[in-house]
Amino acid sequence: TKFPDDDPSVATCKIENGIAWLSFNRPDKRNCMSPNLNRRMGEILDEIEFRDDFGVLVLKGEGTAWSAGMDLKEYFRDTEAKGLGATRAAQRESYGWWRRLRWYQKPTIAMVNGWCFGGGYGPLYACDLAIAADEAQFALSEINWGILPGGGATKVVVDLLSMRDAMYHALTGELIGGKKAAEWRLVNESVPLDQLETRVTELANVLLKKNPVALKATKDAIRRVRDMTYDNAEDYLVRAQEAANSYDNHGRKEGIKQFIDEKSYKPGLGAYDK
Ligand code: ACO
């Protein structure tokens, strides 16, 4: 569906020196996520994913917020007024771009410059690494307006925090700063705001020196093996490594060429000539 009233500027991206700087860009609304913003994020991720002029994606927020979570008006109230179908569509768009980000082709870093609430934990978790400003403020504020932390937020804190910290965080809705977020392992580390971009650029440059096929295989492996038994993980990792090793395998291309261009065999009736 096309949404002609959508404003494309609610999310922006700048590619510079091998890094894609993707921004939540609704600073006046503290970068809360409207359906328009979610749609735009999905479009940008699709547009740039396989470009070869960048190797790391950084997700940042313009202004004083990283993201104040879901847009309580446009994402919740206005959508709910249109019925369950509209609610489900809005969920697909938001969950959709977070999922795209979790399995993105390039490694990703959340640069948490300010407010990070509720639904913001979805993209936060989706980023492979997260560096916060000491001044950033995090909360699962859902409890403060009467809902449970949905949209994956509960799963995020249970995956990343201890059970006690996750429970405390979700039941109280209290704010924590960047330092506490790092202590709780919600983010990798926290630095003063005026050093945040320098630190993130430094980290991105470390990743830019690595083999990109290995980076993608590694980030996926870290997420996949979490839910596996040791034996399943061992097997998965052997196969993932072998798949990465044969990344430049041209056999399939040859098979397609012999069928489509040379018409020398039919895959339905037999194998191509190696
Ligand atoms: N949904 C809708 N509008 C929002 C949201 C939001 N999540 N967050 C901020 N805004 C809007 C405000 O309504 C205001 O709009 P207006 O200028 O048209 O009046 C504008 O953004 C600026 O917000 P202020 O509250 O004036 O900014 P301030 O810097 O004083 O406070 C803060 C920032 C603390 C982030 C505050 O805006 C806030 O509490 N936002 C809601 C945070 C939240 O609980 N999000 C929901 C989490 S639950 C979930 O995502 C499922």
Side-chain angles (χ1 to χ4, degrees), residues 64-230:
T64 57
W66 192 68
S67 173
M70 308 319 292
D71 187 319
L72 300 197
K73 179 178 178 298
E74 293 185 33
Y75 181 85
F76 284 109
R77 199 171 62 188
D78 296 355
T79 321
E80 279 164 19
K82 294 182 199 150
L84 185 60
T87 296
R88 291 283 181 265
Q91 288 168 342
R92 280 198 299 277
E93 283 175 331
S94 56
Y95 304 170
W97 78 266
W98 305 343
R99 189 181 313 112
R100 294 272 292 103
L101 204 52
R102 286 202 299 281
W103 303 105
Y104 210 56
Q105 187 65 26
K106 322 282 174 93
T108 54
I109 306 172
M111 181 170 97
V112 188
N113 49 292
W115 303 112
C116 179
F117 285 103
Y121 284 41
L124 177 68
Y125 177 77
C127 289
D128 302 319
L129 298 164
I131 311 289
D134 296 342
E135 293 86 341
Q137 297 271 301
F138 299 78
L140 285 182
S141 54
E142 284 88 340
I143 198 73
N144 291 339
W145 60 283
I147 68 164
L148 63 77
T154 295
K155 175 69 174 155
V156 171
V157 292
V158 167
D159 266 13
L160 297 182
L161 276 45
S162 76
M163 196 275 264
R164 289 286 176 223
D165 290 337
M167 194 67 91
Y168 188 95
H169 201 49
L171 289 179
T172 66
E174 276 176 23
L175 286 163
I176 58 168
K179 284 202 169 101
K180 179 73 108 183
E183 195 185 303
W184 279 5
R185 312 313 295 144
L186 185 56
V187 298
N188 291 93
E189 61 184 76
S190 165
V191 298
L193 181 59
D194 62 9
Q195 293 166 31
L196 182 62
E197 193 168 319
T198 307
R199 175 63 189 125
V200 168
T201 306
E202 181 184 85
L203 178 58
N205 283 326
V206 169
L207 300 176
L208 284 173
K209 293 204 174 67
K210 314 289 185 197
N211 176 319
V213 175
L215 283 173
K216 168 64 173 154
T218 302
K219 60 176 269 182
D220 287 2
I222 293 281
R223 288 188 191 270
R224 291 280 181 214
V225 302
R226 277 183 76 89
D227 298 325
M228 292 183 194
T229 61
Y230 192 96

Side-chain angles (χ1 to χ4, degrees), residues 231-244:
D231 281 320
N232 285 347
E234 193 179 66
D235 184 56
Y236 166 87
L237 293 167
V238 166
R239 290 161 198 276
Q241 182 58 59
E242 286 172 3

